[in-house]
Amino acid sequence: MSFVDVIAKKRDGRALLREDIEGFVTGVTAAEIPDYQAAALLMAIVIRGMSDQETAWLTEAMVRSGDRVDLSDIPGVKVGKHSTGGVGDKVSLVLAPLAAACGVVVPKMSGRGLGHTGGTLDKLESIPGYRTDLTIDQFKDVLRRVGTSIIGPTAALAPADRRLYALRDVTATVSSVPLIAASVMSKKLAEGGDALVLDVKCGRGAFMTSPADARELARRLVAIGAHGGLRTEALVTAMDSPLGRAVGNAVEIVECLETLKGRGPADLVTLAVTLAARMLVLGGRAGEADAEAGARRALASGAALDKMRALIDAHGGDSRVVDDYTRLPQATRRSAVPAPAAGFVEAIHADLVGRASMALGAGRRRIDDPIDRGAGVLVLKKPGEPVAAGETVLELLFNDDRGLAQASALAREAIQVADAPPALPPLVLGRVA
Ligand code: URA
């Protein structure tokens, strides 16, 4: 069957065969299928969906498109973590050293920003010298020495995802349960490890905006993990407003370091501790009753901060940033976005803040766009906090004002103020095990 026929089959709502999916993945990996045809099939999948069976075949084919890391010679239980992506979602950068400080080994391959959501790699690369392109042997060496290593996707692991991820980002084909499930799990299965904790984001700032879709994504992710022999658990967590108070790259590194020093914003601390506890339980390092307390102790004692320092050093980064934030990329200019009225902040719409941050240069519109690691947005007033009329709610950080007008308009639209304190939704919306 020609690839045009495969596209037409999905366009017409028919199920793909295993060989159709394998042909697609091998063709994409070998660059034999042109981007326009791959994008057409991706769009047909977004619109028509995929069954569990098709999604499993897609995931398997994507895993087989490259190598699988063998971590069996690394002592200890290896527990991964992955988020489906949010705004201000810097949890991995707190969680990896935190869980490692509590005794699980945390291998982590992270991605770059996708759409309006940020990427852990872009944030980490704001640390001068930090190398995200380690070989698998170097990655394993850091895991052995430090207990955690965070690198970028290597060309050898799930290379099909690398191409598809980049294409989806620029063709409006990210928000699809089967495509996200196959993308995430192909990388996690290729990465090795014994167990995996997933943070499935749900809300305006996430790819899944409805709780039903987020739960469905969580269900599929956990099922694929179990099928692939990975003990997998997913939390569905709220992503209506940015997590923490910083959105961007270097500013998020500062917020992570502050959190590791015990001065983090409540939502970020809660989520990092909750996810760390799930990792400890899944990895058999703590019981249900004491896992959270163990994670909080590692944060309070400075053990997690020490791990962060060791992680940066092991990756060739300048760990002096831990004590001196001026060593990170900076924004030379700032612009305040005021509250339109007095009252209580009812919402800070995460998607709009993410787009404002992109407009200031902190994210990319196209695959190869350079980014400004000093740019971003600070959330000075979070939902639930009181504000006076004209008081600064958001602060825009930038070096180049080309996107300022657009960013200001988005930021103004993101702020919603009410007369009375709003009822705030819980951070953790559910768990799929
Ligand atoms: N994160 C991924 O790794 N893949 C997606 O498709 C979306 C979020």
Side-chain angles (χ1 to χ4, degrees):
M1 183 181 274
S2 79
F3 194 64
V4 176
D5 295 328
V6 174
I7 299 171
K9 198 192 257 189
K10 188 43 81 180
R11 178 202 62 200
D12 296 342
R14 285 181 289 137
L16 300 181
L17 299 175
R18 183 177 204 148
E19 68 224 43
D20 299 333
I21 292 173
E22 282 179 356
F24 170 53
V25 173
T26 49
V28 162
T29 312
E32 281 160 1
I33 294 176
D35 282 356
Y36 53 84
Q37 283 192 316
L41 182 60
L42 290 169
M43 187 56 87
I45 293 171
V46 169
I47 294 167
R48 292 296 195 171
M50 272 185 150
S51 66
D52 281 359
Q53 180 62 79
E54 289 173 287
T55 312
W57 285 333
L58 178 61
T59 313
E60 279 167 24
M62 284 166 69
V63 174
R64 273 203 310 274
S65 72
D67 301 337
R68 287 185 85 151
V69 183
D70 179 5
L71 298 178
S72 59
D73 54 344
I74 298 193
V77 60
K78 275 77 69 179
V79 186
K81 179 265 173 182
H82 193 84
S83 157
T84 56
V87 177
D89 182 3
K90 56 202 67 86
V91 172
S92 293
L93 292 165
V94 176
L95 185 57
L98 175 56
C102 296
V104 295
V105 177
V106 188
K108 179 101 186 76
M109 278 179 206
S110 291
R112 301 200 177 279
L114 192 60
H116 64 276
T117 67
T120 300
L121 276 198
D122 291 327
K123 296 169 200 179
L124 265 178
E125 283 174 357
S126 354
I127 300 173
Y130 188 103
R131 285 190 48 209
T132 55
D133 61 348
L134 303 191
T135 63
I136 295 300
D137 283 344
Q138 291 168 328
F139 175 59
K140 288 172 70 171
D141 178 53
V142 176
L143 285 176
R144 256 186 222 102
R145 286 190 290 124
V146 180
T148 182
S149 175
I150 308 179
I151 60 171
T154 75
L157 290 201
D161 179 60
R162 205 174 154 94
R163 256 200 89 201
L164 290 175
Y165 194 91
L167 197 55
R168 287 167 57 216
D169 192 21
V170 292
T171 55
T173 52
V174 174
S175 297
S176 149
V177 167
L179 292 180
I180 296 178
S183 164
V184 169
M185 293 311 291
S186 62
K187 285 178 292 213
K188 297 298 127 181
L189 290 169
E191 230 174 78
D194 306 306
L196 173 66
V197 173
L198 295 157
D199 184 4
V200 177
K201 296 286 183 203
C202 171
R204 285 190 61 134
F207 295 122
M208 295 295 113
T209 50
S210 82
D213 286 348
R215 264 196 304 275
E216 170 60 11
L217 176 58
R219 183 192 69 74
R220 285 220 206 185
L221 290 164
V222 170
I224 297 172
H227 184 73
L230 197 58
R231 289 198 299 282
T232 307
E233 193 174 297
L235 295 187
V236 177
T237 71
M239 183 27 76
D240 285 309
S241 58
L243 192 66
R245 292 187 184 270
V247 177
N249 296 292
V251 282
E252 293 200 36
I253 293 289
V254 172
E255 189 165 62
C256 290
L257 293 170
E258 284 292 293
T259 303
L260 291 166
K261 292 173 187 174
R263 300 191 288 255
D267 55 351
L268 176 58
V269 173
T270 302
L271 196 51
V273 166
T274 307
L275 287 164
R278 296 320 307 161
M279 290 171 77
L280 299 184
V281 171
L282 221 55
R285 301 295 307 206
E288 295 281 350
D290 53 0
E292 277 202 26
R296 282 195 190 277
R297 268 197 307 277
L299 211 48
S301 69
L305 182 67
D306 290 344
K307 279 282 174 211
M308 182 63 156
R309 238 185 263 274
L311 172 71
I312 297 173
D313 280 334
H315 280 256
D318 180 357
S319 61
R320 290 174 297 176
V321 299
V322 172
D323 305 302
D324 179 1
Y325 301 152
T326 65
R327 291 182 177 276
L328 291 165
Q330 307 286 319
T332 50
R333 299 166 69 190
R334 289 172 181 244
S335 171
V337 186
F344 292 85
V345 176
E346 185 173 44
I348 301 287
H349 294 311
D351 51 334
L352 300 175
V353 174
R355 284 169 55 199
S357 176
M358 263 176 88
L360 296 169
R364 340 183 147 67
R365 265 184 206 87
R366 301 182 55 83
I367 303 169
D368 43 9
D369 280 349
I371 61 169
D372 180 346
R373 292 200 161 75
V377 180
L378 292 180
V379 180
L380 302 189
K381 297 282 173 187
K382 298 264 290 174
E385 293 180 345
V387 274
E391 197 178 359
T392 304
V393 176
L394 297 174
E395 195 170 32
L396 309 182
L397 313 179
F398 57 100
N399 291 300
D400 176 340
D401 63 8
R402 268 177 294 181
L404 182 60
Q406 190 196 359
S408 302
L410 287 162
R412 275 196 302 275
E413 201 187 330
I415 302 169
Q416 222 172 297
V417 174
D419 291 337
L424 297 176
L427 195 54
V428 178
L429 304 171
R431 174 150 73 95
V432 178

